[in-house]
Amino acid sequence: MDIQIQWFPGHMAKAKRQVQDALKLVDAAIELLDARIPVSSRNPMIDQIVGNKPRLVILNKSDLADPNLTKQWQKQLERPNVKVIAIDTIKGEGIKEVPRMASLLVADQMAKLAAKGRRPRATRCMVLGIPNVGKSSFINRLVGRKATKTGNLPGVTKGQQWIKVAGSLELLDTPGILWPKFEDPEVGFKLAVTGAIKEQVFNFYEVALKLLQWLTEKNPDQIKVRYKLTDLAPDIPTLLQDIGARRGLLMAGGVVDELKAAQLIIKEFREGLLGRYTLDLP
C-alpha cells in the first residue's frame, strides 16, 4: 500500500531556518511525538535543527499506546541532554511533570545566569512537532485557563506569542511546520492510521485492509470480541465485509458499504477501542 504524499525540501528549509532563529530565544526545546509512533511522528531533521539545546521529549497519546513499549521508548530516547515524559493530554496525565522537568533540564544554565548577577526568570521553551501531533491540545492543557500572553519579546516574529504557564515556564509555539518524511510507505501507513495526515490524501479502504491484517496478527481475539465474530475470515477483504455486516453498514440490496466499514475500523483503532498498540518498535 503506497500513500503518495510529497515532502517539500524548500518548505522544510524555510521551516528549519525559522525554528533555528527562534531557538536562540529559548532555554530548551519541547518535542512532541505520538507515543504510538515515536519514530514515524518525528521530523527526520530534528536532531540537526535542535543541536545541543536541552530537549524535553513528550510522548503524547500514551493512553493509546502499549504501556510496556512506551517505557522502552522512554529509556531509548533519553540522553544526557534529553529527558522523556509520557503524557495523555485528554486526561492531563503527566502534564504536571512538564514544568518541573523543563526546569531540571536548564538548571545549570540558570545557575550560570544567577552567578553573573542576572535576576531569576521563567524557563523559556519552544514547542516543536509535526502537524496533528497534538501541539495545540498540549499547550492548552499545560496552560489551563490561566493562559496569559506575555506580549512579544524582542526578536520574536510578529504573530508568535509567548504563553505563560503556571510554575515558572514560558512557551513559544513553533514558527515553522516540521513535516514528517513520507518516503517509506510504512511511515505513510502509520501516520494515516493514527490520524496524523489529512484523510483526503489516502485510500481508506487500502489503509483499513492493511490495519486489519496487522491487528489479526497482533490480537485476533480483540477483533472477534469487538465485532462479535465467532471466527475470522481467512482473507482480509472478507473480514472487512463481515465487520461491516455485523455493524449494519449496508447499502441498497444489502450490500456492505466497504468505505463506511473501513472508516469505522480506522476510527475505532484511533480511539483505542481495538486495544492499545505501538506501531514503531524500539
Side-chain angles (χ1 to χ4, degrees):
M1 188 213 67
D2 189 18
I3 296 174
Q4 290 295 333
I5 304 167
Q6 293 302 309
W7 204 65
F8 306 110
H11 293 191
M12 216 28 261
K14 185 185 173 193
K16 182 184 168 186
R17 276 196 309 276
Q18 287 180 318
V19 172
Q20 282 174 326
D21 287 345
L23 271 169
K24 293 167 192 166
L25 308 170
V26 300
D27 307 306
I30 295 177
E31 181 191 5
L32 226 64
L33 303 175
D34 185 323
R36 298 167 294 177
I37 49 168
V39 176
S40 304
S41 65
R42 99 184 301 188
N43 178 276
M45 295 161 71
I46 202 80
D47 290 330
Q48 186 191 344
I49 292 168
V50 176
N52 294 324
K53 185 79 72 175
R55 193 183 340 167
L56 183 56
V57 173
I58 304 287
L59 295 175
N60 191 22
K61 305 181 185 177
S62 61
D63 56 310
L64 300 172
D66 179 319
N68 294 325
L69 289 173
T70 298
K71 280 178 190 150
Q72 287 180 44
W73 272 117
Q74 282 180 273
K75 281 183 192 160
Q76 189 161 320
L77 292 169
E78 285 219 340
R79 296 199 292 283
N81 225 16
V82 180
K83 299 282 179 209
V84 186
I85 306 174
I87 69 161
D88 165 11
T89 47
I90 306 300
K91 295 188 187 118
E93 283 165 15
I95 284 284
K96 285 180 181 167
E97 279 288 285
V98 175
R100 188 184 73 80
M101 199 67 89
S103 296
L104 276 177
L105 266 174
V106 301
D108 288 352
Q109 279 171 252
M110 293 305 186
K112 281 174 191 167
L113 290 174
K116 288 177 184 170
R118 298 271 187 94
R119 274 196 206 154
R121 62 162 173 79
T123 304
R124 291 176 184 158
C125 294
M126 179 199 282
V127 184
L128 296 163
I130 66 165
N132 298 332
V133 80
K135 273 197 308 166
S136 300
S137 307
F138 167 71
I139 292 170
N140 291 341
R141 173 58 86 163
L142 196 55
V143 171
R145 287 187 188 160
K146 294 173 187 169
T148 56
K149 288 177 179 169
T150 57
N152 290 338
L153 292 182
V156 181
T157 316
K158 195 179 176 197
Q160 273 178 255
Q161 287 285 358
W162 286 95
I163 306 157
K164 212 167 180 58
V165 179
S168 195
L169 180 65
E170 286 177 356
L171 297 180
L172 180 64
D173 198 2
T174 325
I177 293 178
L178 300 172
W179 295 100
K181 193 138 192 171
F182 304 105
E183 280 171 0
D184 179 351
E186 280 301 308
V187 169
F189 163 70
K190 289 168 185 176
L191 291 165
V193 293
T194 53
I197 48 181
K198 285 187 180 141
E199 301 185 340
Q200 296 90 318
V201 299
F202 65 86
N203 181 315
F204 260 100
Y205 180 71
E206 284 180 15
V207 170
L209 289 184
K210 189 172 168 74
L211 176 61
L212 261 185
Q213 178 73 55
W214 189 85
L215 288 167
T216 54
E217 288 164 13
K218 292 278 172 196
N219 195 352
D221 291 340
Q222 181 74 24
I223 300 291
K224 286 183 194 169
V225 171
R226 179 73 195 160
Y227 299 113
K228 300 181 171 64
L229 300 166
T230 44
D231 49 69
L232 300 183
D235 67 292
I236 300 301
T238 305
L239 176 57
L240 182 83
Q241 292 261 347
D242 292 346
I243 290 169
R246 288 299 287 173
R247 284 296 177 89
L249 303 173
L250 306 173
M251 299 188 290
V255 178
V256 170
D257 187 327
E258 290 184 336
L259 177 60
K260 280 192 178 164
Q263 287 170 331
L264 170 82
I265 289 154
I266 293 170
K267 178 177 179 284
E268 298 207 334
F269 175 80
R270 287 176 184 172
E271 289 170 359
L273 298 172
L274 302 177
R276 293 174 68 171
Y277 298 103
T278 300
L279 290 95
D280 283 340
L281 299 179

